[in-house]
Amino acid sequence: SNKYNQSHKLQTAINDAKRTFQLKLEVLTHYGNGKPVCVKCGYDDLRALTIDHINGDGAKHRRTVGAGTRCYKWLKSRGFPEGYQTLCLNCNYLKRAEDLK
């Protein structure tokens, strides 16, 4: 029935969101040295944490593997390779601005 389909779609969306959140939490925790926090300033609001490419090749990497969840999946599937860190968006922005100098 139509009601079942709507309910099923909603539950599928909720389950997908939970899996995405858990993946993000796992990746940010790994690259935050065991805690989901910015390694520079200690900020810990997950909504404002991101993965930073330490050597600055993030744009190129995202073009190859994708951004957001795709990048998190890529990192996990490769056993969390070196060269990444958890930063808050503020520290990430400031790092980028410093790199442009």
Side-chain angles (χ1 to χ4, degrees):
S1 77
N2 193 29
K3 192 168 189 156
Y4 169 81
N5 286 340
Q6 288 175 333
S7 173
H8 184 71
K9 282 181 185 176
L10 178 60
Q11 191 58 53
T12 299
I14 291 169
N15 291 340
D16 287 349
K18 285 179 183 177
R19 273 193 300 278
T20 297
F21 175 81
Q22 286 300 324
L23 174 64
K24 179 177 182 176
L25 181 62
E26 184 178 1
V27 172
L28 294 174
T29 298
H30 178 83
Y31 288 108
N33 300 319
K35 289 188 242 173
V37 299
C38 176
V39 299
K40 294 252 191 247
C41 74
Y43 190 75
D44 66 358
D45 186 328
L46 284 173
R47 296 171 300 175
L49 293 177
T50 190
I51 287 298
D52 173 60
H53 294 70
I54 293 171
N55 63 6
D57 65 346
K60 180 180 173 194
H61 186 239
R62 283 187 298 277
R63 280 194 297 275
T64 305
V65 303
T69 304
R70 284 189 216 115
C71 185
Y72 296 138
K73 286 179 180 177
W74 185 91
L75 290 166
K76 183 177 179 181
S77 73
R78 280 153 184 81
F80 304 106
E82 305 256 327
Y84 304 88
Q85 62 186 348
T86 298
L87 291 182
C88 69
L89 294 172
N90 226 23
C91 287
N92 186 259
Y93 179 84
L94 292 171
K95 178 186 174 220
R96 192 174 323 134
E98 288 298 313
D99 288 347
L100 293 175
K101 284 185 178 177

